[in-house]
Amino acid sequence: MKVEENSVVRSATLLGHVLLLILVALVAAAAAVVIWLFVDAQQIGQILAAAAGYASDVLKPWQAVALTLILLVQVGIWIAVVFRGRQIFTALTQAALSEASTSAGKAARLLWAMLIWGIVGHTIATVVATWHFPEGMKALEVSLGSTEISIAIAALLATFMSRAFVLGAALWQDHQEVI
Amino acid sequence: MPIVVRLDVALAQRKMTSKELAAKIGISEQNLSVLRSGRARGVRFNTLDAICQELDCQPGDLLEYVSQ
């Protein structure tokens, strides 16, 4: 099968640009959350507690800060994943398959970290959001849903991609060294 | 590597430059240089075929096994 090299490079460049935009959006979102925390900690705390499934009108400042930190860690992992994704496409545009493979491997590990933090972070968030609830109403929730399954599939795909890139790099090297 | 490429000898016997051979068989001078210097990991049959056809020789005239 003949692959049109220019179109592959164009697609990789385009995806690199798209990921850069997503990266900028995520950094902006993280900055906005931090600013919001300083401006109105109570409001962001209430929104995050509601998002965790335990809406509450009154939250202590530490609860708002803790919920925001949980969110920021999640956004931080997202930023790292998108950054690695961008590195994959940048490496592909330079035909550096081994670098693409390294980045795909790191992206896969980050996606597994995202999956773990998604579960652990939600559990911590439920504890924090219900900390001031009366006895018997406090919660410790472990959630496994379609989001976690999607992330697990994405992590598996990224792991597969990194292995495919390793094989591709070896084949490319063979192609270059066999005259 | 115990396989030695004798392309230089074959070219010298025919008073042909590697540039001419590269142009005739349709591969780059750089690749032919890699092959001549023994730095190539392998040779494709069609490359060998083109060289043998152009130099009117056998693969054994170009490659020699030297035990170490």
Side-chain angles (χ1 to χ4, degrees):
Chain A
M1 188 177 77
K2 186 163 167 55
V3 178
E4 189 61 52
E5 200 175 325
N6 284 343
S7 79
V8 173
V9 170
R10 262 202 311 275
S11 303
T13 309
L14 185 68
L15 279 166
H17 290 325
V18 169
L19 287 177
L20 179 64
L21 282 176
I22 295 171
L23 197 61
V24 170
L26 282 169
V27 172
V33 166
V34 173
I35 292 166
W36 196 356
L37 180 68
F38 281 106
V39 173
D40 193 348
Q42 189 62 229
Q43 192 186 19
I44 193 167
Q46 284 168 356
I47 289 169
L48 293 175
Y54 296 92
S56 174
D57 289 337
V58 186
L59 283 171
K60 289 181 179 140
W62 74 265
Q63 288 174 297
V65 171
L67 289 170
T68 309
L69 280 177
I70 291 165
L71 175 70
L72 285 175
V73 170
Q74 188 76 4
V75 174
I77 298 172
W78 263 108
I79 289 171
V81 168
V82 175
F83 179 76
R84 288 293 171 204
R86 195 168 172 271
Q87 275 188 334
I88 295 171
F89 292 111
T90 307
L92 284 178
T93 57
Q94 294 160 354
L97 278 180
S98 63
E99 282 175 33
S101 156
T102 308
S103 296
K106 286 177 181 171
R109 282 195 287 278
L110 283 165
L111 281 165
W112 289 118
M114 183 189 280
L115 175 66
I116 292 165
W117 182 251
I119 297 165
V120 174
H122 180 77
T123 305
I124 299 170
T126 56
V127 173
V128 171
T130 60
W131 192 264
H132 59 292
F133 282 16
E135 288 300 323
M137 299 281 283
K138 293 178 195 290
L140 190 153
E141 186 182 296
V142 179
S143 168
L144 274 173
S146 56
T147 311
E148 284 73 25
I149 293 167
S150 304
I151 294 169
I153 291 169
L156 277 172
L157 278 174
T159 307
F160 172 75
M161 257 173 64
S162 74
R163 287 180 193 277
F165 281 140
V166 168
L167 280 173
L171 282 172
W172 178 252
Q173 198 177 353
D174 255 13
H175 176 72
Q176 295 292 92
E177 291 178 4
V178 174
I179 310 295
Chain B
M1 196 192 278
I3 303 287
V4 178
V5 181
R6 300 288 185 204
L7 187 56
D8 276 339
V9 179
L11 282 171
Q13 284 168 346
R14 287 155 186 81
K15 295 185 172 52
M16 189 188 278
T17 63
S18 56
K19 189 178 179 180
E20 285 169 343
L21 179 64
K24 282 178 179 169
I25 64 172
I27 68 168
S28 69
E29 276 183 73
Q30 194 188 4
N31 275 349
L32 193 62
S33 164
V34 170
L35 184 59
R36 276 172 51 211
S37 60
R39 283 182 284 126
R41 268 214 294 178
V43 191
R44 290 193 185 87
F45 277 128
N46 56 1
T47 308
L48 206 53
D49 174 43
I51 295 173
C52 288
Q53 201 173 340
E54 201 52 51
L55 300 183
D56 189 23
C57 64
Q58 293 297 314
D61 299 332
L62 303 171
L63 305 171
E64 189 184 343
Y65 178 76
V66 180
S67 58
Q68 288 178 329

